[in-house]
Amino acid sequence: MTTANPQALIMPADWRDFFALTKPGVMRLVIFTAVCGMLAAPGTINPVLAFTAILCIAVGAGGAAALNQWWEADLDAVMKRTAKRPIPSGRMDRTSARDFGFALSGISVMTMGLAIGWLAAGILAFSIFYYAYLYTVWLKPRTPQNIVIGGGAGAFPPLIGWIAVTGHITLMPVLLFLIIFMWTPPHFWALALFVQIDYSKAGIPMMPVVAGERSTRWQILAYAAALLPLSMAPWFIGGTGWIYGIAAFVLSGMFLWLSIKVGLRTSTPGDGMKPEKRLFAYSIAYLFILFAMLVADRFATIYGLQA
Amino acid sequence: MTNLSDNRPLTAAETDALRARQRERNKVMALILGFLVILFFAISIVKIGAKPPHSPAEGAEQAEHS
């Protein structure tokens, strides 16, 4: 390498930037809900295989996130929140991100198929395709309902975790999917209400930009209202005991209460958007606690603490 | 990513920075590959030890047919 042509030499991206490309912040919720789906499922799974399944779900989500940032680099560049990501800030070239994303996706799906089963692997592959293509490429730039559909991508982990244990699809994992699906719009629109300037600059049709604040607030309220009975549905169909049922009622009731405050409010410039920020912060805690209660309920049943 | 558009050779400092970056990436790659070797070995051991998934319990099939 003594006669290397300097023109051909490009500083390779730092491995930390590849790690950042997988959106480690989002990963926490992905891993947590996947673990909960796995623990709440009836049946047992070898710990090594359980670890492998969770790893595959996490790596698959990371691959989808990398593909998302490969595709959206120019949009990310004009938004303050995302401008410091590896590609728009110039620390990594787009091709590396693309290859990295495809590699992670492929490896995770193949490993899931070989170690766990091809049903779980197929759903994992579909969830990556759903996020990286259906959502990122197709729907996000086209419809203000993008978040509703994008929520589907985040709703897959508990479903895959559950199916990794049972090997087949039943109503319970689908309900877990639907709960996160319904939770995402109010969660994200609460955020969008207080960062909306950014999205209009990038030309992404976020609900508050397109339909206005009034309509967005009503829709937050509508989804929160639908979430209350839906989150209790696992109890109604007998999939869980009363521990989860009561917890879901209290947690979703609180969610609805905070949504009512956001939904019926009209913001004035400079009011700090306190209720919206509170709803957003609560929505994250909500999902963590709800899924933790699902697992607690299952263990309470195993150890005979509830009828 | 630093794109060198001029024709000058790399300075010693730039070469060092480049080598350091490559070394670091190689180390991380080695760790990941080593981890995957252990993981796949563990998966194989578990799979070898596991019973076939849908085989009936011993004697169950005969009981059903008789």
Side-chain angles (χ1 to χ4, degrees), chain A residues 204-255:
Chain A
I204 290 289
M206 275 306 161
M207 192 58 82
V209 179
V210 179
E213 251 194 72
R214 180 74 270 139
S215 162
T216 308
R217 288 171 187 281
W218 277 116
Q219 294 191 55
I220 287 177
L221 189 51
Y223 277 98
L227 189 60
L228 178 62
L230 183 69
S231 68
M232 293 175 72
W235 183 33
F236 297 151
I237 65 161
T240 71
W242 58 267
I243 293 180
Y244 171 83
I246 302 292
F249 176 73
V250 172
L251 288 165
S252 300
M254 185 70 185
F255 196 99

Side-chain angles (χ1 to χ4, degrees), chain A residues 27-109:
Chain A
M27 203 74 88
R28 274 201 306 264
L29 206 59
V30 167
I31 293 176
F32 179 78
T33 54
V35 169
C36 288
M38 194 170 259
L39 289 175
T44 53
I45 183 168
N46 181 287
V48 173
L49 298 183
F51 173 78
T52 308
I54 297 296
L55 187 73
C56 287
I57 294 171
V59 171
L67 291 173
N68 164 275
Q69 288 172 72
W70 158 57
W71 191 262
E72 289 190 330
D74 42 353
L75 295 180
D76 284 348
V78 297
M79 294 199 289
K80 203 172 74 190
R81 188 172 67 88
T82 53
K84 288 195 177 66
R85 285 178 178 173
I87 309 174
S89 67
R91 297 196 305 276
M92 183 188 291
D93 59 318
R94 292 180 76 154
T95 321
S96 301
R98 181 198 65 194
D99 297 347
F100 182 63
F102 276 113
L104 288 190
S105 306
I107 291 168
S108 63
V109 171

Side-chain angles (χ1 to χ4, degrees), chain A residues 1 6-7 9-16 18 46 48-49 51-52 55 90-93 111 114-115, chain B residues 1-10 17-19 21-22 24-25 28 35-36 39-40 42-43 46-47:
Chain A
M1 284 283 286
Q7 266 189 315
L9 275 175
I10 290 171
M11 194 69 159
D14 196 292
W15 68 269
R16 290 173 195 85
F18 280 104
N46 181 287
V48 173
L49 298 183
F51 173 78
T52 308
L55 187 73
R91 297 196 305 276
M92 183 188 291
D93 59 318
T111 307
L114 293 169
Chain B
M1 184 183 70
T2 315
N3 215 336
L4 301 169
S5 51
D6 50 358
N7 261 322
R8 73 187 165 77
L10 287 180
L18 182 73
R19 294 280 177 270
R21 180 70 61 88
Q22 285 171 332
E24 217 180 4
R25 277 177 58 149
V28 173
F35 168 77
L36 282 180
L39 181 71
F40 274 82
I43 292 171
V46 169
K47 287 269 181 192

Side-chain angles (χ1 to χ4, degrees), chain B residues 25-49:
Chain B
R25 277 177 58 149
N26 291 347
K27 270 181 209 160
V28 173
M29 202 64 196
L31 282 177
I32 292 171
L33 288 175
F35 168 77
L36 282 180
V37 168
I38 296 168
L39 181 71
F40 274 82
F41 180 72
I43 292 171
S44 306
I45 295 299
V46 169
K47 287 269 181 192
I48 290 167

